[in-house]
Amino acid sequence: MSDTETVVRGACHHDCPDTCAWEVTVVDGVAVNLRGDPSQPFTQGQLCPKVNPYLDRVYHPDRLLHPLRRVGPKGEARFEPMSWDAAISEIATRLSAAIARHGGETVLPYSLDGTQGLIQKGVMADRFFAALGATRLNRHICGVTAWLGASDVLGVPLGSDPTDVEFARTIVLWGTNTLLTNRHLWPYIETARSNGACVIVVDPVQTMTAARADQHVQPRPGSDVALVLAVIAEMDRAGRIDTEHLAATTQGWPELRADAQAMTLAKAERITGIDADTIRELAARIADAPPVALRVLVGMEHREFGRDLHRAVASLAAVSGAARHRGGGLVRSTQVYFDTALADITPPDGPQRVVNMSSLGNALSDAVDDPPVTALVVYSCNPAAITPDQNRVISGLEREDLFTVVIEQFMTDTARYADIVLPTTTQIEQLDLMNAWGHLYVSLNRPAIEPLGECLPNTEIFRRLADAMSLDAPGLADSDSQMVRDLLLSGHRWLEGITYERLLRDGWARLAVPPGWSSMSSREVPVAPARSSGAARDADHQVPSHQQQLGPLRLGPLRYRVAAESPNGDRALAERYPLALMSLKQHLRFLNSHYGGFEHHLPDPPHPQLEISAADAESRGIADGDEVRVFNDRGELTLHAAISQRLQTGLVAIPFGWWAGAADARTVNALTNPSLGDPDPTVGSAAFHDTLVQVEPVERIASGTV
């Protein structure tokens, strides 16, 4: 054994609820092994199949190790090396010139969850862009619509501790594929099942989780509100609702009750495709077998009325009294626990233009011209692959008058269009404070090795840019460790006893949230004292700066609404494009765009396919494996068809997260719907799953025949 072998604790940074704690073994400065930290209670030493080979990513031969300057047309990925000094100087000069001509809002930052760490993801970057007066990005492409729907009922979207599902007798996994996307929660579900719990999945697709459940309720896509209303109505008709408790703890029950009563079983059956007996059984189970855990994540928010869907499930939790026992209630993202406890950033003074990240194609077009976006800085994100209306996004990235900087580890689809590409560190090369959205543990990620090549952490890149542009706003020179310490010193009672020194020693700590606490049962929410760091904070992450006393749970009217781009929506559109498209996560080693360009992570076959039901394929003369054209008004793809038994008739699926890998290639987002469900164009997620397409076989031309 080498005298220089060390083990360094950290945590996974990926956009995943589980935020696994890990340990990196380093020998002579080289990381030789990565494994889950067996001491962390939630992840218990287990990493997922995509992260087990993470060191292969760190040392991948295609890793970007030096700054690059574009020397060819945008999209061709032709670059030459440049020095850091030259890169920082050129970026500072061009940003300054753009701001001098158009004002700060001509600069658009674009980022999301390439890393979920609080430091590398945003604190320093937010301070930098606030000091520029740049356009503010609302990172609403995922998570915020679910946040808003839950808030409509709860006041704040703080659900139950997910691990409390082990105390439940009924677990309803509503629109979430737990085994694929939240695997470390499954042992808690199995513990509950071993104690007699029933596991029900509500999902329009027969996922791997649905196959392992005790019951799969398969509504038509987007019909969940009708199903919830029918369940509430059936519970009410059967006398299974504690109306006295509702009167004491909620407001708006009469209005919700009237809407539920209008949703007859016959009407619900027509809308959802679920027979009346199944609806009755679901209502009886939720009413009569508490504690009832209603588990939602973010999948079903990606619809025109996704906020309604989340509000509906939260309302069902309130009406059923699910949270009156430990193990019951609305079980959703825990992100807001950390946002509340670690609140640090306040918006800058004065007006500021806001752009919803789902609308990037629009922002890069002539539609935004006061001022136009002439500088784009992308970090922790790959918008050319993950943003809807992909053709319009790429058209914007191709603009010669758009100065684009991409901070990346690999030559992604977005980096191909950059003017300057800056190499950034991987998780085992940087310091960060890791929160989670699937549990209540915070972790300190310590750098295990020195950065490879000339790679720098995001934070250091923005520190250097701030210095080169002579920005003097508070906090722009703070070290990463100082920012971590400051976040932990908020004074919030959920951080009681959690110090930098404790995390250095132990690696992780659980927030001091009382066992069994839920915002559905406790109407008092502790929040952090107000502090200003001179940095911008997204509007969706604002928290009150006082001990918040919440009023009754808010119910109120709830009506099933039909999305415009759906089979029962715009009739003329549906006649041209009769198939509903869902873009799904599909594979344990792939899952999201982090690994969409890595061959050994891809499924077999290693290219996206169109899943289509046997009935829809037969009616179009399509056989399994045939090449097909999938198209709508936004774009088209040519794929191979895979006849699927897990899809309903009228529904097709294409996996999400693939990289095109070429300037002229496209992914599923060439088809997806960028429309927002909120009348405010800066708020809410895009309606990815409310997308209509048509599918036809590609014409076969016999060899030698013109």
Side-chain angles (χ1 to χ4, degrees), residues 460-687:
E460 178 60 18
I461 292 171
F462 286 112
R463 274 191 290 265
R464 293 189 183 190
L465 285 171
D467 181 64
M469 298 181 73
S470 300
L471 302 177
D472 61 359
L476 287 172
D478 285 359
S479 67
D480 292 1
S481 60
Q482 184 62 52
M483 287 186 284
V484 173
R485 290 177 184 274
D486 286 347
L487 285 172
L488 292 172
L489 290 173
S490 72
H492 194 285
R493 81 173 191 223
W494 285 345
L495 290 173
E496 184 177 353
I498 302 178
T499 63
Y500 187 73
E501 289 69 27
R502 177 183 170 186
L503 293 177
L504 280 174
R505 183 190 72 223
D506 299 337
W508 53 267
R510 187 186 186 278
L511 294 183
V513 177
W517 189 92
S518 167
S519 64
M520 295 191 74
S521 54
S522 172
R523 305 307 291 151
E524 180 180 288
V525 179
V527 295
R531 293 187 298 138
S532 174
S533 64
R537 187 164 180 81
D538 287 346
D540 53 289
H541 288 180
Q542 295 295 325
V543 293
S545 57
H546 53 81
Q547 189 81 2
Q548 187 176 20
Q549 300 291 333
L550 299 178
L553 296 170
R554 301 183 299 233
L555 300 176
L558 179 64
R559 296 181 177 88
Y560 167 66
R561 296 189 284 175
V562 179
E565 191 165 337
S566 68
N568 295 316
D570 184 313
R571 183 172 299 178
L573 188 66
E575 287 177 355
R576 292 162 56 207
Y577 306 116
L579 296 172
L581 169 69
M582 293 183 69
S583 49
L584 303 176
K585 295 183 178 181
Q586 69 159 30
H587 196 271
L588 290 169
R589 294 197 311 272
F590 180 14
L591 200 59
N592 57 34
S593 64
H594 285 287
Y595 296 98
F598 294 84
E599 184 176 355
H600 67 283
H601 280 274
L602 301 180
D604 185 22
H607 50 74
Q609 295 180 294
L610 173 84
E611 285 189 77
I612 186 169
S613 72
D616 288 324
E618 182 179 4
S619 68
R620 289 165 173 77
I622 296 169
D624 191 64
D626 280 355
E627 196 172 37
V628 296
R629 174 176 174 251
V630 190
F631 61 98
N632 60 19
D633 290 340
R634 285 181 287 271
E636 65 176 73
L637 300 174
T638 300
L639 304 170
H640 288 91
I643 308 300
S644 175
Q645 302 302 314
R646 69 179 189 147
L647 298 182
Q648 308 171 36
T649 302
L651 177 65
V652 295
I654 300 173
F656 164 85
W658 293 82
W659 295 4
D664 60 350
R666 297 294 185 266
T667 68
V668 67
N669 280 326
L671 305 167
T672 51
N673 184 357
S675 299
L676 304 173
D678 198 287
D680 181 344
T682 70
V683 175
S685 169

Side-chain angles (χ1 to χ4, degrees), residues 329-373:
L330 184 67
V331 188
R332 59 172 311 276
S333 169
T334 59
Q335 177 70 44
V336 184
Y337 282 91
F338 295 91
D339 286 343
T340 303
L342 299 168
D344 174 71
I345 306 166
T346 55
D349 294 333
Q352 189 178 29
R353 180 169 68 187
V354 178
V355 165
N356 189 320
M357 71 179 302
S358 296
S359 303
L360 179 62
N362 185 67
L364 296 182
S365 73
D366 293 337
V368 175
D369 61 0
D370 189 22
V373 173

Side-chain angles (χ1 to χ4, degrees), residues 71-85:
V71 294
K74 290 191 174 187
E76 287 192 1
R78 289 168 51 197
F79 294 91
E80 65 180 9
M82 64 190 307
S83 70
W84 267 109
D85 286 347

